[in-house]
Amino acid sequence: MVNKKCIIRLSRYKSALQRLKALGFVKVFSGNLADAAGVTSSQVRKDFSLFGITGNRRGGYSVDELIAKILEILGKNELQRVVLVGAGNIGTALMRYKGFESGGIKIVAAFDIDPEKINRRSELPVLPLEEFADFVKQNSVRVGILAVPDIAAHHVSELMIRSGIMGILNFAPIQLRGADKVIINNINLEVELENLIYFVNAMQKTGQIE
Amino acid sequence: MVNKKCIIRLSRYKSALQRLKALGFVKVFSGNLADAAGVTSSQVRKDFSLFGITGNRRGGYSVDELIAKILEILGKNELQRVVLVGAGNIGTALMRYKGFESGGIKIVAAFDIDPEKINRRSELPVLPLEEFADFVKQNSVRVGILAVPDIAAHHVSELMIRSGIMGILNFAPIQLRGADKVIINNINLEVELENLIYFVNAMQKTGQIE
DNA sequence: GAGTATTTGATATTTTTTTCACAACAATTT
DNA sequence: AAATTGTTGTGAAAAAAATATCAAATACTC
Ligand SMILES: NC(=O)c1ccc[n+]([C@@H]2O[C@H](COP(=O)([O-])OP(=O)(O)OC[C@H]3O[C@@H](n4cnc5c(N)ncnc54)[C@H](O)[C@@H]3O)[C@@H](O)[C@H]2O)c1
Ligand SMILES: NC(=O)c1ccc[n+]([C@@H]2O[C@H](COP(=O)([O-])OP(=O)(O)OC[C@H]3O[C@@H](n4cnc5c(N)ncnc54)[C@H](O)[C@@H]3O)[C@@H](O)[C@H]2O)c1
């Protein structure tokens, strides 16, 4: 199986291509895409070859075909339904965000233990956590966002996995131990800031970057 | 200069160590830390040697010393002041989050162009964007969080850089072009979800992971 | 329609990152 | 105090990732 970085680059190529398409481009060369995505042209062609994406020698790639192929690889042909646990600060921000839907991702329901947060009427309902397993099974959702406090994160992740969730985007600042056949992407904002701070400090000391 | 992944591992070691300390551990071996952080013991020792962190042969490392050294490397000896631009969904979630402060990071001010968002009275004031440059210079802040809509992101990033910001944590779904001596960490949540979806789909097809 | 210029796709090379392996050493036992 | 055990620190090896190279293909020019 290909590695994570490679799929992230595919997402980048996709965005770049959509931008190029909007600008009227009909075909594109690996070099153009490379520039737009901030990588080398070799990298672009290497990535494509991994997925069996081919172009025309000297003719480059058709923008439309390329977009279609990448969308298919990324599973963007069908709307991807996602659930959210923890309708707090981060959870609410995500629920309000309109950008996911234009990208074919829809948060279909949120879950919380706080009775105050429950709201069945909303277009994006917030349901009690007890209903999580049933909902996920009935709607065969496979991806979930975890936005609960760190103390609850482990417990909730187990519930998610038990209910059939296979991919978790975790915002809690703990390293979740993924079960077999479950993939977990951790977003740790404090670590990201720490990282930035380290490099800024290092840069100020040495005047150098990377 | 060391690479980003390595610093991220340092952050992980730090968290693991703090957990171990809370559990009463006084010393620790590279193997323990490796398990706690999900890496190999060689990796731990290699990382440490990069920063000149040494332990005692056969005696392992003193938890307290190790924590102190890592905190110093990560610049956590002093409170790190950070600014935020864009007091919208994500921005507000970040402003309300209490977890940063316990980690020595403090959002000292937020900025927005929407007059409705301005609030000078709050403990964490939201100020008009026009005051950004002065504020940053006067308070010599070097790290900023960018949480404005994608269309505004490029413009705001330039303002930030011009004002002296050297590290940007960017939430807008565009690839910011970092100037010289400026480091940018992009958080692209849609890409993260896309990634998850890809691997979940791939796993369902092949029954395999990685 | 031949010739030329340019780009892909595959392979080779280089660079980076991770893991291995083990000498050096220090605590503990005998 | 000698032997033993267990852990570090590091240079060497391996693995993984990125980049360079170049023959083959093909679009374009004249
Ligand atoms: N808000 C931020 O900017 C931010 C930044 C970095 C990390 N995080 C992390 O993201 C997570 C969420 O942060 P937040 O600020 O949104 O927290 P929050 O306290 O605002 O929201 C947490 C929500 O989870 C709900 N909850 C608690 N336990 C639950 C459970 N067992 N099952 C279901 N729901 C439960 C709570 O009722 C609440 O609505 C935390 O782990 C936090 O550390 C947040
Ligand atoms: N909310 C999410 O869950 C989410 C998810 C993924 C990505 N993002 C990205 O994060 C960014 C912020 O998202 P959001 O949902 O918080 O948006 P939002 O619209 O809620 O907030 C944006 C804020 O930025 C302010 N703003 C606009 N232009 C500005 C400018 N030039 N200078 C200063 N402030 C300005 C607005 O007044 C508003 O308060 C966007 O780029 C979005 O694509 C958000």
Side-chain angles (χ1 to χ4, degrees):
Chain A
M1 196 180 277
V2 299
N3 77 45
K4 174 168 169 167
K5 265 176 151 180
C6 177
I7 302 297
I8 287 184
R9 284 197 300 268
L10 267 200
S11 285
R12 289 234 185 95
Y13 301 152
K14 183 204 64 185
S15 307
L17 282 164
Q18 287 170 337
R19 230 166 35 239
L20 291 171
K21 183 183 161 89
L23 287 166
F25 282 72
V26 173
K27 65 179 189 178
V28 70
F29 300 125
S30 57
N32 307 143
L33 246 186
D35 292 345
V39 298
T40 64
S41 61
S42 287
Q43 181 83 83
V44 171
R45 296 199 299 275
K46 191 59 154 276
D47 286 339
F48 285 179
S49 85
L50 253 160
F51 293 101
I53 294 177
T54 61
N56 313 310
R57 288 181 198 234
R58 166 121 203 206
Y61 304 83
S62 144
V63 171
D64 281 334
E65 275 179 36
L66 211 44
I67 291 178
K69 277 183 185 151
I70 295 179
L71 288 180
E72 193 192 329
I73 291 166
L74 294 177
K76 305 220 117 197
N77 287 341
E78 44 189 321
L79 184 75
Q80 296 285 345
R81 284 159 306 140
V82 169
V83 288
L84 169 72
V85 184
N89 292 321
I90 281 280
T92 310
L94 293 168
M95 286 165 69
R96 291 201 185 125
Y97 185 56
K98 301 292 167 214
F100 291 139
E101 256 180 271
S102 52
I105 295 171
K106 185 175 165 71
I107 302 178
V108 290
F111 297 86
D112 207 295
I113 38 161
D114 182 351
E116 300 250 316
K117 307 270 171 126
I118 306 307
N119 175 0
R120 295 175 184 281
R121 295 307 187 81
S122 168
E123 203 243 321
L124 199 178
V126 182
L127 307 173
L129 192 65
E130 296 79 50
E131 299 179 19
F132 184 81
D134 282 346
F135 184 97
V136 165
K137 281 170 195 156
Q138 241 154 58
N139 295 274
S140 54
V141 177
R142 294 190 302 268
V143 173
I145 301 169
L146 181 35
V148 303
D150 47 2
I151 8 162
H154 194 257
H155 173 258
V156 171
S157 75
E158 289 188 333
L159 165 65
M160 289 173 95
I161 293 169
R162 211 163 47 236
S163 308
I165 292 291
M166 297 169 73
I168 300 178
L169 187 62
N170 170 43
F171 283 88
I174 62 161
Q175 193 74 2
L176 284 184
R177 187 162 299 260
D180 219 30
K181 303 207 176 183
V182 174
I183 176 155
I184 299 181
N185 281 2
N186 296 291
I187 305 278
N188 192 324
L189 298 178
E190 194 180 328
V191 166
E192 294 291 333
L193 281 172
E194 248 168 45
N195 204 262
L196 221 39
I197 290 165
Y198 171 84
F199 283 106
V200 166
N201 284 341
M203 211 147 54
Q204 281 211 321
K205 273 186 207 125
T206 67
Q208 281 300 313
I209 179 167
E210 220 106 320
Chain B
M1 193 182 276
V2 299
N3 75 47
K4 174 169 170 170
K5 264 176 152 179
C6 177
I7 303 297
I8 288 184
R9 283 196 300 267
L10 267 200
S11 285
R12 289 233 185 97
Y13 301 152
K14 185 205 64 188
S15 306
L17 284 164
Q18 286 170 337
R19 229 165 35 238
L20 291 170
K21 183 183 162 90
L23 287 166
F25 281 73
V26 173
K27 66 178 190 177
V28 71
F29 301 125
S30 58
N32 309 143
L33 244 186
D35 291 345
V39 299
T40 65
S41 61
S42 293
Q43 181 85 84
V44 171
R45 297 198 300 276
K46 193 57 155 254
D47 285 339
F48 285 179
S49 85
L50 252 161
F51 293 101
I53 295 177
T54 61
N56 313 310
R57 289 183 198 236
R58 169 135 196 191
Y61 305 83
S62 144
V63 171
D64 280 334
E65 275 180 37
L66 211 42
I67 290 177
K69 277 183 185 151
I70 294 179
L71 288 180
E72 194 192 329
I73 291 166
L74 294 177
K76 305 220 119 199
N77 287 341
E78 44 189 321
L79 184 75
Q80 297 286 344
R81 284 159 307 141
V82 168
V83 286
L84 169 71
V85 184
N89 293 320
I90 282 278
T92 310
L94 293 168
M95 287 164 68
R96 291 199 186 128
Y97 185 58
K98 301 291 168 215
F100 291 139
E101 254 179 275
S102 52
I105 295 171
K106 186 175 165 71
I107 301 178
V108 290
F111 297 85
D112 207 295
I113 37 160
D114 182 353
E116 301 250 313
K117 307 270 171 126
I118 306 308
N119 175 0
R120 296 174 183 281
R121 294 306 186 81
S122 169
E123 203 244 319
L124 198 177
V126 181
L127 308 172
L129 192 65
E130 295 80 52
E131 299 179 22
F132 183 82
D134 282 348
F135 185 97
V136 165
K137 281 169 194 158
Q138 242 155 59
N139 296 274
S140 54
V141 177
R142 294 189 304 268
V143 173
I145 300 170
L146 180 35
V148 303
D150 47 2
I151 10 163
H154 194 256
H155 173 258
V156 171
S157 76
E158 289 189 333
L159 166 65
M160 290 172 95
I161 292 169
R162 209 163 50 236
S163 307
I165 293 291
M166 297 169 73
I168 299 178
L169 186 62
N170 169 43
F171 282 89
I174 63 161
Q175 192 75 3
L176 285 184
R177 184 164 302 258
D180 219 30
K181 303 207 176 184
V182 173
I183 177 157
I184 299 181
N185 281 1
N186 296 291
I187 305 277
N188 192 324
L189 299 178
E190 194 180 328
V191 167
E192 294 290 334
L193 282 173
E194 249 168 46
N195 203 262
L196 221 40
I197 290 166
Y198 171 84
F199 283 107
V200 165
N201 284 341
M203 211 147 53
Q204 281 212 320
K205 274 188 207 124
T206 67
Q208 282 299 313
I209 180 167
E210 221 109 319

